[in-house]
Amino acid sequence: MDETGSILGESLYSQKDVHLKAGGIIPPVAQRLHREHIARVTQEALDMSGVAPSDLSAVATTVKPGLALSLGVGLDYSIKFIQQHKKPFIPIHHMEAHALTVRMIEPVQFPFLVLLVSGGHCLLAVSKGVDDFLLLGKSLDEAPGDILDKVARRLSLISHPECSTLSGGQAIEHIAKQGDRLKFSLKLPMGQHSDCNFSFSGLRTQVIHIIHKKEGEEGIPMGQLLSCVNDIAAAVQYTVASHIAKRTHRAILFCKAKGLLPQNSATLVVSGGVASNQYIRKTLKIVTDSTDLTLLCPPAKLCTDNGVMIAWNGIERLREGKGILNHVENICYEPKAALGTDISGQVREAAIKVPRLKLEIKE
Ligand code: KG4
Ligand code: ZN
């Protein structure tokens, strides 16, 4: 990537199909595939760009948070590369990269509110600068993409003719279009907590229980498709969307009360794999319309995990001269890493009541 954010060369080796067939990510398998492909993928991107390693200004690589075994492969490879070519190194925080991606597409000014929803993370934060975040809330257990993946797996959607190549979240979104969410009523998580944290594991338990009961009623063995898969998908998607919308609405009201966002033309940025869900986006649009915020989502390709967002984060840091290392002897990857300053306690104390919104999406 050049300093304006133009992509000069790009290469991708996706492990999605392998993980889908295995029914989830097996860390040693992910590590082996990273090892087998990292050199070729890097070389392809460089070849396409026409830029020699000696002409690079710096190398940016994800070092936190994430799967230890995968982070290790990327970091080892990068350290060898930068030592060989004598280049500065920019370690990248995965969530910071998700949050800043939008600025590659549109000149969104700081501060803005950001919601990150994916298979591994779920958080709300105020982005005050390239490396300056206030954390308003996060998931206390699982991430929304994770529960959509688990429900899709439990519903055996991989054997659904229209879903065999889709991720769990995509499969749920696809079949939910034909479903009636009102056929099943699911309890909205954390109704008693006036904060911006999230919880999805109780919802997963409720849904698994319903699937089990329906299998008994229909005499369907586990592993075969239930007749009501569409309705279950629609109910889960609606409940996930409503939970996310409610917490986001509270975050917006908290930011307004504390003057954390511009008074006019404040922005909500939504990113992460789950942000490519159109139903969830439309639900969030109802919230931003009612609070006079602008809703921005990067294109789906940049919402799911990608290398471009890491390069862009490198450019943002390079421009501001932040976190650029000339010595990498002590650098380590960090499987767990918080984002910014945690002010979720202040959000809880403010105990903001969120007005009811009609979150009904007509497809
Ligand atoms: O950001 P991402 O590529 O990886 C991390 O989890 O970090 O997100 C992948 C997640 C998976 O759980 C996948 O099921 C979910 O994003 N996802 C979706 C959709 N597309 C991907 N969830 C809901 N609706 C979608 N259309
Ligand atoms: Zn991610």
Side-chain angles (χ1 to χ4, degrees):
M1 183 176 285
D2 71 10
E3 69 280 8
T4 67
S6 289
I7 301 164
L8 305 179
E10 193 181 0
S11 174
L12 170 74
Y13 169 75
S14 174
Q15 308 184 357
K16 190 179 133 201
D17 290 347
V18 178
H19 298 321
L20 205 57
K21 285 204 188 86
I25 298 174
I26 302 168
V29 173
Q31 181 189 40
R32 178 174 55 76
L33 293 172
H34 273 71
R35 276 209 186 111
E36 285 172 8
H37 295 278
I38 193 164
R40 179 184 57 77
V41 164
T42 311
Q43 194 57 49
E44 263 177 29
L46 272 172
D47 289 349
M48 198 189 289
S49 74
V51 176
S54 58
D55 291 333
L56 292 171
S57 306
V59 173
T61 303
T62 311
V63 300
K64 61 186 174 184
L67 279 180
L69 295 180
S70 304
L71 292 174
V73 175
L75 185 56
D76 283 351
Y77 183 83
S78 305
I79 288 177
K80 285 197 191 97
F81 187 94
I82 55 186
Q83 283 175 339
Q84 184 187 348
H85 299 290
K86 304 201 172 29
K87 293 292 158 192
F89 183 54
I90 310 179
I92 300 294
H93 190 301
H94 181 78
M95 311 307 295
E96 182 182 303
H98 269 307
L100 299 179
T101 309
V102 70
R103 286 165 44 88
M104 203 181 109
I105 315 289
E106 295 187 51
V108 186
Q109 300 301 313
F110 298 115
F112 55 86
L113 180 63
V114 59
L115 166 71
L116 298 180
V117 274
S118 78
H121 25 259
C122 180
L123 62 82
L124 274 160
V126 179
S127 183
K128 292 170 64 188
V130 169
D131 62 348
D132 190 5
F133 292 84
L134 296 175
L135 183 70
L136 304 176
K138 63 177 191 315
S139 177
L140 302 177
D141 40 57
E142 290 155 88
D146 194 24
I147 87 129
L148 294 176
D149 290 342
K150 284 174 179 154
V151 168
R153 227 176 291 146
R154 183 64 183 78
L155 285 171
S156 305
L157 295 186
I158 192 118
S159 59
H160 189 294
E162 290 165 24
C163 300
S164 60
T165 59
L166 303 183
S167 69
Q170 286 171 322
I172 299 274
E173 177 172 20
H174 182 69
I175 63 166
K177 291 191 180 115
Q178 268 84 50
D180 176 0
R181 71 160 183 92
L182 295 170
K183 292 268 168 68
F184 297 98
S185 90
L186 297 167
K187 196 166 168 288
L188 198 64
M190 298 190 77
Q192 306 305 315
H193 299 262
S194 300
D195 58 22
C196 287
N197 289 329
F198 302 80
S199 168
F200 293 95
S201 62
L203 174 61
R204 175 170 55 81
T205 312
Q206 281 184 74
V207 180
I208 302 293
H209 181 74
I210 288 174
I211 297 171
H212 185 72
K213 191 161 154 259
K214 278 282 155 193
E215 282 171 347
E217 282 170 24
E218 292 189 11
I220 301 263
M222 192 167 154
Q224 278 182 29
L225 289 172
L226 281 169
S227 67
C228 55
V229 278
N230 298 348
D231 301 331
I232 295 178
V236 177
Q237 181 174 251
Y238 170 79
T239 311
V240 167
S242 304
H243 180 42
I244 292 173
K246 188 110 188 173
R247 311 325 268 189
T248 306
H249 195 168
R250 179 170 290 117
I252 292 171
L253 299 178
F254 176 82
C255 288
K256 288 193 177 215
K258 304 284 176 188
L260 294 174
L261 293 174
Q263 288 207 327
N264 298 314
S265 69
T267 302
L268 169 69
V269 170
V270 186
S271 197
V274 177
S276 49
N277 184 297
Q278 294 301 323
Y279 184 92
I280 294 176
R281 281 193 194 191
K282 285 181 193 163
T283 309
L284 287 165
K285 184 83 171 61
I286 296 174
V287 174
T288 51
D289 282 352
S290 82
T291 47
D292 282 332
L293 263 74
T294 304
L295 175 68
L296 291 179
C297 305
K301 193 169 164 253
L302 295 175
C303 275
T304 48
D305 285 353
N306 64 87
V308 166
M309 74 182 193
I310 308 304
W312 172 252
N313 199 160
I315 300 287
E316 291 252 38
R317 282 182 165 268
L318 203 56
R319 280 179 181 167
E320 296 201 1
K322 285 188 169 144
I324 303 157
L325 309 180
N326 289 308
H327 301 283
V328 289
E329 286 74 31
N330 298 323
I331 181 105
C332 289
Y333 58 81
E334 294 170 51
K336 286 200 187 323
L339 180 73
T341 308
D342 188 344
I343 60 161
S344 57
Q346 286 179 41
V347 179
R348 191 175 50 246
E349 276 158 28
I352 291 175
K353 290 271 165 287
V354 176
R356 239 174 225 287
L357 287 180
K358 200 163 175 288
L359 300 173
E360 201 61 57
I361 312 293
K362 298 274 175 289
E363 293 287 347

